Each structure stands twice: as structure tokens, then as C-alpha cells.
Amino acid sequence: MIRILYVYGMDHTRDIVYNLRNAGYMVSEYRLGRDNSILDEADINQLTAYIEENHITYLMSVHLIYNVAVAAYRSGIKYVSLIWDAPYIKIYTPFGKLNNCWYSVFDKLDCKRLSAAGIPHVLYQPLSVNQDNIRRWNAKEKLNGKYINEISFVGSLYEDNLYDQYLKEIPLKLQGYFTSIFEEAAFCWDGRNRIYGKTAKEILDYIRMVNSDFVLDNVYDIDDVQYFETQYLIRKIANIERICVLNLLGEQFPVTLYTYSRIDTSKLENVTVMPPVEYGEASAIIFAGSKINLNISLRGIEGGTPQRIMDIMGAGGFVITNYCKETAELFEEDKELVMFRTPEELMEKAAYYLAHDGKREKIAAAGQRKVLQCYTYDKKLKQLMEWVEEEE
């Protein structure tokens, strides 16, 4: 019998374990005792002993955990990692490149890059929802046609981004250089990448020279420019875009933000800031109870559909999101969700769908049907395990 050991890292969801057990697999659960981002021989030895004592067939986790990869390698078994982030640079390490590591990746472009880099086992799979939870929560029915919010956004403003932490004091001329990159890349959601390849290596050398606090902690098998752009620029652009878009919408419509971010409220105008909402039934109620749910994807997600979109649609909520080619392949635009490419288009569509309840609710219902038909954990894990078991 196949015995799967699911190892918890930063995630706390039991959706994967629940669905694997429903599919007939024997699944045990395991929590590492220390910071799972640090390679720790004691953790590895303890996990290796558990694998051998319990005759584990496969290890599984969300995201790559180095200690788990090494323990699986030493035990001669496969380690299956479901990736929920992009670009996921942790794979570009000796531990991520171990030939016993198998990855489920939700971003098509990131999947292609990993394969091109020689990662041997990569499978593209869209992100998913737990179909049984959605039916059990029944958020739409519980609300009985009532709405909590006009427009809501659940997510981070990335106010703690590395750019603001380490590059605030660089010379004005250099600030202008990066401002020009932000101006070109921000607020244009047409599917083109306007960030990567814009920073020359000489720029990084100059930053090091003028700012002694700047340390590029790149331990990955990627060049420093790529590391800098993914870690410093992408989150700063998200910070700019999300604050500006919320303020823009707030000028005309009631907007509610649910966030963990520690916010300087002076940066937000006409936006109601609420505490974070717990992931699960509570967030499903918010998604189903908002006339419009906003998604602005992190720019690092180039060819993937974020979990936020799947969760909103699964709960029966109406979502309006920045354009992404792959999202347009998964869902029919203007029939299952709505997309925008510019702030002007966002404002026009927000006004239109707030004024047309019937059309908005029809799209939300169609989107929920598509998610529950195609993008559920039971279907995803069935495909994933068939792939892992067939590729011996």
C-alpha cells in the first residue's frame, strides 16, 4: 500500500491530506520541529528515521522544504512539492535539483523555466479549491442575497518590501532610474513583462558602493540581476499598484481592504481598512458577500492564476482581475470572470457591474460552476499522483 507522509511547512491547510485520504491513500501528518527554511541535520535524521519506521512511500508538502528533500533523497523515495508561488527560486539550489524531487507548478512560464534549467520532474497544474468545504460552507446561501461590501480586496500591500527597506537612501539619480522602471511596468496589465532584464549588473555594483547596508543575499543558482528583480522590484511594484488602485476605486465607490499589512493610513484615502480575515469559511463569506472582489496579481506571477482568484470564484464571488493570458485560457472572459488591462478599464467595468446586479451574479455563478467542475483538489491530486506513480 502507498503510504504518504504530508509535512507541514508554512502552510496550515489540511485540504491536501483530506483529499488524499478520500482518494484512498494512507496519509500521515508530520511537523518539523525547527525553522524549516534552515538545513538542520537533526531534523533530517529524525524525519529519515520516521520514514524508515513507518515504511513511507512518498513525502509531500506545499513548497520546497530543504530538510524534507534531503531526508527523502537519503531514504530513496520521492518527494512531491506543490508550489503556490512564482517565480519560485528556492528550486534553483542543489536541494531543489535533487532527482527525487517532483514539482506541481501553477505558473506556465515558471514551469517552462524550471524545465529549461534541467529540473527533471515538473508538472503544470492550475491551483485548486476544496470542493467539499465549499459545499459545506455554502457561503452564498448563508448570505441569502445580502452583501457585506461593494468592492473588497483581501491581501497584502507589500509595505515591507526590500526596495523600501534598503534603497530609500540611494542617490536621486539612481532613484530616478528605478522610478522609470516602475512607471513603465506599473498599471499596464497586457501580459508583457516590463521588469525583467532592465537592471544592469553595473547598477547593482554601484548600489553596493554607495549603500553599505545593501546586501544581495543570493544563494540560488540564478544571476544577481534576476535575483534583484524578483526580490526587490516585483514587490515594490505590487505595493505601488495596490495602494494606487485602491485609492482610485475609493474616489468613486465604497472599498474595503482586509489585510495583515501594517499600513500608514495616510497613504489610503476613502478605503475602509479591516483586520485580516481567516482563510477558510470566513474568507469565503467575504468573497461571496462582496459585489466585486478585486485581484491584482504579484508581477512575478506571469503565466499563472493566483489562489485568490480560485478561492473567490469557488465561493461564488464575482472577481475582476488584471489580465493574464493563462487565466483567459482557464476561464471565459466576461462570462466567468472579468479582466482589466488598464486602470481606466478597471474603473469602467467596476461602475458597470456595480450597476448591473443580474449580469454580475450570472458571471459569478458561471465562474463557480467552472471552478467546481475543473479546478478541485480531488481532480488535481488524482492527476498528480498518477504522474508520480507512472514516472518510475
Side-chain angles (χ1 to χ4, degrees):
M1 174 177 284
I2 292 174
R3 298 172 183 266
I4 299 172
L5 181 61
Y6 184 84
V7 183
Y8 290 95
M10 298 302 292
D11 68 299
H12 302 287
T13 178
R14 300 191 74 247
D15 292 339
I16 295 171
V17 171
Y18 171 85
N19 280 276
L20 285 171
R21 286 175 176 163
N22 276 359
Y25 292 100
M26 182 176 289
V27 185
S28 303
E29 299 169 79
Y30 190 95
R31 293 187 183 275
L32 293 171
R34 299 170 177 79
D35 183 347
N36 59 60
S37 65
I38 299 172
L39 201 64
D40 188 285
E41 194 66 26
D43 263 353
I44 294 169
N45 290 336
Q46 185 176 341
L47 180 54
T48 303
Y50 186 98
I51 292 167
E52 294 173 357
E53 290 168 7
N54 293 275
H55 308 290
I56 300 299
T57 313
Y58 303 126
L59 294 180
M60 184 178 291
S61 72
V62 169
H63 291 161
L64 170 64
I65 304 174
Y66 294 151
N67 293 334
V68 180
V70 175
Y73 184 78
R74 291 181 182 176
S75 302
I77 65 174
K78 294 179 180 179
Y79 169 35
V80 184
S81 176
L82 291 86
I83 306 302
W84 289 358
D85 198 7
Y88 195 73
I89 63 174
K90 282 185 71 175
I91 297 178
Y92 297 100
T93 60
F95 312 107
K97 293 181 177 182
L98 291 171
N99 61 14
N100 67 308
C101 292
W102 299 65
Y103 299 104
S104 168
V105 178
F106 79 101
D107 185 306
K108 277 188 176 179
L109 291 177
D110 211 28
C111 187
K112 290 178 180 178
R113 290 190 188 108
L114 290 168
S115 295
I119 307 300
H121 311 293
V122 185
L123 176 68
Y124 164 74
Q125 290 187 299
L127 295 173
S128 303
V129 299
N130 188 330
Q131 65 289 341
D132 291 344
N133 276 348
I134 286 172
R135 295 186 177 103
R136 179 168 55 84
W137 296 333
N138 203 12
K140 206 73 177 174
E141 292 298 320
K142 286 181 180 177
L143 289 163
N144 196 27
K146 297 179 181 179
Y147 286 97
I148 303 167
N149 303 302
E150 294 287 297
I151 298 175
S152 72
F153 177 68
V154 178
S156 172
L157 299 186
Y158 291 103
E159 78 292 344
D160 55 352
N161 64 84
L162 292 175
Y163 183 90
D164 283 343
Q165 288 183 42
Y166 293 103
L167 301 184
K168 276 186 176 181
E169 306 303 323
I170 57 177
L172 289 176
K173 186 176 181 180
L174 197 53
Q175 289 182 32
Y177 176 86
F178 288 114
T179 297
S180 67
I181 294 176
F182 300 148
E183 288 176 346
E184 181 183 0
F187 311 113
C188 186
W189 299 281
D190 59 1
R192 288 179 55 200
N193 186 316
R194 292 176 167 82
I195 303 169
Y196 293 162
K198 296 294 178 66
T199 306
K201 181 180 180 298
E202 290 75 16
I203 295 291
L204 299 184
D205 293 338
Y206 183 64
I207 295 174
R208 291 188 183 97
M209 183 178 69
V210 300
N211 184 355
S212 59
D213 292 332
F214 176 72
V215 177
L216 206 59
D217 193 18
N218 180 15
V219 296
Y220 306 98
D221 188 18
I222 57 176
D223 64 46
D224 284 352
V225 168
Q226 184 180 354
Y227 179 84
F228 175 81
E229 290 174 339
T230 58
Q231 300 303 302
Y232 280 75
L233 302 189
I234 283 175
R235 286 168 176 76
K236 178 55 183 175
I237 290 176
N239 173 251
I240 294 168
E241 287 181 333
R242 292 182 179 186
I243 288 175
C244 290
V245 166
L246 289 171
N247 284 336
L248 184 64
L249 287 166
E251 290 177 2
Q252 296 189 29
F253 315 108
V255 175
T256 305
L257 167 67
Y258 297 85
T259 187
Y260 286 96
S261 294
R262 300 179 300 279
I263 301 167
D264 178 357
T265 53
S266 66
K267 293 182 178 180
L268 291 173
E269 300 174 5
N270 303 314
V271 176
T272 301
V273 180
M274 299 292 288
V277 58
E278 185 176 354
Y279 184 78
E281 184 173 7
S283 58
I285 292 291
I286 297 298
F287 295 147
S290 298
K291 291 183 178 179
I292 291 177
N293 292 276
L294 177 65
N295 176 68
I296 304 174
S297 298
L298 195 64
R299 291 286 180 157
I301 302 174
E302 295 181 87
T305 301
Q307 187 66 49
R308 183 189 295 107
I309 292 179
M310 296 297 189
D311 289 336
I312 293 168
M313 297 176 73
F318 175 92
V319 62
I320 183 166
T321 178
N322 57 273
Y323 173 79
C324 170
K325 181 181 178 182
E326 188 236 302
T327 303
E329 293 170 356
L330 300 184
F331 300 106
E332 192 168 354
E333 188 173 2
D334 298 327
K335 292 189 177 180
E336 294 169 336
L337 52 59
V338 172
M339 291 192 271
F340 58 90
R341 293 154 182 81
T342 64
E344 293 78 14
E345 185 179 14
L346 169 61
M347 295 296 289
E348 290 171 6
K349 290 186 173 181
Y352 179 83
Y353 284 107
L354 285 175
H356 293 82
D357 292 347
K359 291 184 178 180
R360 188 187 67 243
E361 290 167 2
K362 183 178 179 181
I363 290 172
Q368 184 181 43
R369 284 195 298 272
K370 172 62 76 66
V371 168
L372 292 177
Q373 286 170 2
C374 301
Y375 308 116
T376 56
Y377 271 116
D378 58 346
K379 292 182 174 64
K380 175 173 182 170
L381 291 171
K382 180 177 184 294
Q383 180 196 30
L384 178 62
M385 293 310 299
E386 286 176 353
W387 174 64
V388 172
E389 292 172 41
E390 287 173 3
E391 296 280 336
E392 292 294 349

